[in-house]
Amino acid sequence: MPFEKVQPEKLSAAVVRQIEKLILRGILRPGERLPSERELSDKLGVSRPSLREAVAELQNRGLLEARANAGIFVTEVIGSAFSEALVGLFANHDEAVFDYLSFRRDMEGLAAERAARHGTTTDLKVIAELMAKMEAAHGKRNPTEESRLDADFHLAIIEASHNVIMLHMMRSMYQLLREGVFYNRQIMFKQRATREQLLEQHQAINTALQARDGAAARAAVEAHLNFVEDALSADRKSNRNELIARQRLLRETER
């Protein structure tokens, strides 16, 4: 018969598995500081030696790191998704920008549909809370805050889809977006008309999610990203036209 004796598990191994799951599920995020050793050992109900052994193993695996006089942090594992050379290519070619938006449209549309159907009540509360914060930032005309909350809102939808592969892949993509690799997102939030439309689109996404209408949520996300793509394309065309106009002006002043 295919049975084996059950082996007793070390407390440190149980701690390792718990922290691993929190990182895998996106609950502990890259760059996040763990509680102090005393607090964490109390929360987990294990001795400090057992906790130290678990932390050491997770450090060896590259999931945690110690920072001098700061504590233990979740490693910035997301940064390893793309090589530096590939990130440079993304930044220097428009083709990558629009392929990125197309990829997001497909992935986030699917995630929104899954979130509407499979997300928990708490998942939807998180999304609703972020929507309320976006509306507050919009009222204060704070493009930096709106831009940050926009990313958090979309990532909350990814999280609510409960697919850990999609979660970490999309977090990696959003990290590049935050760093301005694809385009400067804050520019869109500085234009009044565009800001109003973006807010309405996010509200439509939230409404569909709260109603648990998967098809409507997917359609709302796709419409939003189509708008972003069209706005970005128009902005780049306008910049090219302005460059050509300046060249013509320079030529005329030199004649």
Side-chain angles (χ1 to χ4, degrees):
M1 297 294 290
F3 297 109
E4 297 178 0
K5 288 185 177 180
V6 175
Q7 300 296 324
E9 184 178 46
K10 293 172 60 178
L11 286 175
S12 62
V15 173
V16 166
R17 285 192 296 106
Q18 185 172 156
I19 294 176
E20 281 181 334
K21 286 180 180 179
L22 291 173
I23 295 173
L24 178 65
R25 294 167 181 171
I27 297 168
L28 280 176
R29 304 186 178 199
E32 187 169 347
R33 183 181 181 277
L34 294 186
S36 68
E37 183 180 277
R38 179 179 178 179
E39 183 182 354
L40 189 54
S41 64
D42 286 344
K43 285 179 178 293
L44 293 169
V46 299
S47 67
R48 292 195 188 184
S50 292
L51 177 59
R52 291 186 197 121
E53 186 177 346
V55 168
E57 181 175 343
L58 290 165
Q59 285 180 277
N60 289 334
R61 293 188 189 179
L63 293 173
L64 296 179
E65 62 179 354
R67 298 181 189 174
N69 302 317
I72 304 296
F73 293 78
V74 179
T75 309
E76 295 283 356
V77 289
I78 284 180
S80 64
F82 300 103
S83 69
E84 186 175 341
L86 189 55
V87 170
L89 286 175
F90 288 162
N92 293 323
H93 295 275
D94 282 357
E95 177 182 352
V97 175
F98 294 105
D99 280 352
Y100 163 79
L101 287 170
S102 178
F103 178 80
R104 270 190 63 192
R105 184 166 50 241
D106 291 343
M107 290 297 99
E108 291 188 35
L110 174 61
E113 188 170 8
R114 284 179 54 88
R117 294 177 178 173
H118 306 300
T120 68
T121 299
T122 302
D123 285 323
L124 297 183
K125 285 181 179 178
V126 171
I127 293 168
E129 180 65 23
L130 284 166
M131 186 70 251
K133 289 181 179 180
M134 289 178 68
E135 290 169 341
H138 182 83
K140 295 176 183 177
R141 297 183 181 180
N142 187 335
T144 301
E145 185 69 0
E146 278 192 276
S147 176
R148 181 187 69 79
L149 288 167
D150 170 76
D152 289 347
F153 177 82
H154 284 275
L155 279 173
I157 296 172
I158 301 292
E159 290 171 348
S161 72
H162 293 282
N163 184 304
V164 294
I165 303 300
M166 182 184 291
L167 169 62
H168 290 283
M169 178 177 63
M170 295 306 295
R171 273 194 179 167
S172 178
M173 301 295 282
Y174 266 98
Q175 184 60 32
L176 294 180
L177 187 62
R178 284 192 176 104
E179 294 169 0
V181 170
F182 293 108
Y183 59 91
N184 186 344
R185 299 167 63 249
Q186 292 187 28
I187 290 177
M188 298 189 70
F189 288 96
K190 289 180 180 178
Q191 301 169 4
R192 182 174 179 179
T194 303
R195 286 178 64 241
E196 294 294 339
Q197 289 174 287
L198 289 172
L199 181 66
E200 291 173 1
Q201 291 162 15
H202 287 119
Q203 288 170 332
I205 295 169
N206 181 57
T207 297
L209 287 169
Q210 301 303 327
R212 293 194 175 276
D213 187 335
R218 184 170 194 159
V221 166
E222 291 175 348
H224 165 60
L225 289 168
N226 283 335
F227 173 84
V228 171
E229 182 174 347
D230 290 345
L232 185 59
S233 180
D235 180 68
R236 296 203 169 192
K237 182 177 181 180
S238 176
N239 290 338
R240 285 195 297 269
N241 290 345
E242 177 62 17
L243 176 61
I244 293 169
R246 289 180 180 178
Q247 291 172 335
R248 287 173 178 156
L249 177 61
L250 179 62
R251 181 173 178 271
E252 290 301 321
T253 56
E254 291 178 345
R255 291 177 72 177

